[in-house]
Amino acid sequence: MSLTFTTDLAAVRTLVHRCAREVGLPEARAIDLVLAVSEIAANTLLHAKSAGMLDIWHDEKEIVCQVQDKGVITDQLAGRRRPSIDAMSGHGLWLVHEVCDQVEIRSDENGTTVRLHMFLGAP
């Protein structure tokens, strides 16, 4: 499944939830995945200032949601360090790392690709 988004994150959330439930992700984990993808998609609109492309696929072990945009992330550890409580940013990407089973971020001068993995079996 693929979806290009420019403003409507409701469509992103709806697609992710539907796909997650169709492949057997329990409701609570599906909601976690929706939260994570929504955060990445919102960051695309806020920071990349470009359209985003969401792709979703699965196999018997996991569901993967990939978000691509034209933005660049310069901090290689973005989201891997817990932000301080009073930090003005950084909480969303850290949360993504907390709720997903695996997060891959690749960024260069051509743009950024974020892959969010959720295992279909017991976490």
Side-chain angles (χ1 to χ4, degrees), residues 16 19-27 29-30 33 56-65 101 116-123:
V16 171
C19 290
R21 293 298 288 153
E22 284 175 359
V23 299
L25 212 57
E27 180 66 15
R29 299 270 290 156
L33 185 58
I56 303 172
W57 66 91
H58 69 90
D59 61 20
E60 66 280 350
K61 295 179 183 177
E62 67 180 352
I63 183 171
V64 180
C65 295
D101 294 314
L116 308 176
H117 300 254
M118 283 276 210
F119 301 141
L120 298 178

Side-chain angles (χ1 to χ4, degrees), residues 2-75:
S2 293
L3 174 70
T4 299
F5 59 93
T6 56
T7 58
D8 187 9
L9 294 184
V12 168
R13 291 188 289 268
T14 298
L15 179 61
V16 171
H17 187 262
R18 183 177 50 116
C19 290
R21 293 298 288 153
E22 284 175 359
V23 299
L25 212 57
E27 180 66 15
R29 299 270 290 156
I31 290 170
D32 283 347
L33 185 58
V34 168
L35 173 72
V37 174
S38 183
E39 177 61 31
I40 298 301
N43 283 348
T44 290
L45 299 180
L46 180 64
H47 300 294
K49 302 202 184 332
S50 71
M53 172 63 76
L54 168 65
D55 291 296
I56 303 172
W57 66 91
H58 69 90
D59 61 20
E60 66 280 350
K61 295 179 183 177
E62 67 180 352
I63 183 171
V64 180
C65 295
Q66 176 176 283
V67 177
Q68 292 179 284
D69 61 44
K70 299 292 184 195
V72 177
I73 298 174
T74 57
D75 181 0

